[in-house]
Amino acid sequence: MNLKKILAFALSAVLAISCTFALIGCSEDPTKVIRDSLTEQLNAYKNADDSALSQIASLAENEGLSEMGIDNQEFAVAVLDGFDYSIDDITVDGKNATANVTIISKSYADFAEKIKVMVDEMSSDASLADMDADALTALVAERVMDVLNNTEINTETLAIDYVLNGNEWQPVAQESAFASLDSVVFHK
């Protein structure tokens, strides 16, 4: 498998994160229910909980990063380094609500650009042609981790819409809202 294909797999699948859940809104204040649910979900990333790390590490494993010599757990920790968030406000209007959330995370655009530059540089480096496969794989792994560790931190705000469906506050399109961020954590 060539380097560009490996990195393309890494970029596309390692960062795929599903964000679906339902919120029970029967007797509690809807803003509290929505805030508590978002806090629980996002704290898993902010605190680098085992569940968040395992999810990212599993995706890395599925895409063969360990075959490139990248430790999946180390990769997951690096993805979440610098992650933070704030729930700025939640407005409720009848059966509709909107949560405005600020996400601070590594920039996917910066990561992708730096990976492209790395691949281009390595592809044009004639001295690498003399390296054996194991040494080349180790060098690629080291450089990918260097790129990830040096990726810019980005701050973005997004609006997540909710609708009251029976007794549950449900996000309308939360997965696509998070996927729209320039974020290594939530990139699809």
Side-chain angles (χ1 to χ4, degrees):
M1 188 178 288
N2 72 34
L3 178 60
K4 287 185 181 184
K5 188 171 182 179
I6 290 169
L7 293 174
F9 275 159
L11 293 174
S12 66
V14 150
L15 308 170
I17 295 176
S18 171
C19 301
T20 58
F21 62 93
L23 307 169
I24 299 186
C26 185
S27 61
E28 283 191 70
D29 172 24
T31 58
K32 180 180 178 355
V33 171
I34 292 169
R35 181 177 301 278
D36 289 351
S37 183
L38 276 170
T39 298
E40 180 180 341
Q41 179 185 7
L42 294 172
N43 271 349
Y45 299 107
K46 178 178 180 173
N47 300 327
D49 289 354
D50 286 342
S51 62
L53 290 172
S54 293
Q55 184 178 25
I56 294 168
S58 177
L59 291 168
E61 176 75 28
N62 291 340
E63 290 308 314
L65 291 182
S66 60
E67 293 171 18
M68 290 175 41
I70 296 174
D71 178 86
N72 296 329
Q73 198 70 13
E74 180 184 348
F75 186 85
V77 169
V79 165
L80 293 178
D81 184 41
F83 181 87
D84 203 354
Y85 74 94
S86 65
I87 302 169
D88 303 322
D89 64 71
I90 299 170
T91 56
V92 178
D93 183 17
K95 293 186 174 196
N96 298 298
T98 301
N100 292 302
V101 180
T102 299
I103 301 290
I104 301 166
S105 66
K106 291 187 176 181
S107 165
Y108 176 77
D110 184 56
F111 177 67
E113 179 59 29
K114 286 179 178 175
I115 288 291
K116 181 186 177 310
V117 168
M118 180 201 81
V119 170
D120 290 346
E121 288 173 354
M122 291 184 78
S123 297
S124 63
D125 186 346
S127 70
L128 299 181
D130 296 332
M131 293 179 77
D132 68 44
D134 290 340
L136 185 57
T137 299
L139 181 61
V140 169
E142 179 183 324
R143 290 194 181 168
V144 167
M145 290 306 298
D146 286 346
V147 165
L148 184 56
N149 287 326
N150 292 301
T151 296
E152 293 176 2
I153 300 292
N154 192 28
T155 301
E156 294 180 280
T157 301
L158 73 147
I160 303 172
D161 293 321
Y162 292 84
V163 65
L164 183 61
N165 188 1
N167 290 346
E168 296 178 356
W169 284 97
Q170 299 174 332
V172 174
Q174 182 181 21
E175 185 175 332
S176 59
F178 278 105
S180 71
L181 293 172
D182 175 25
S183 169
V184 170
V185 177
F186 296 110
H187 182 77
K188 290 263 179 200

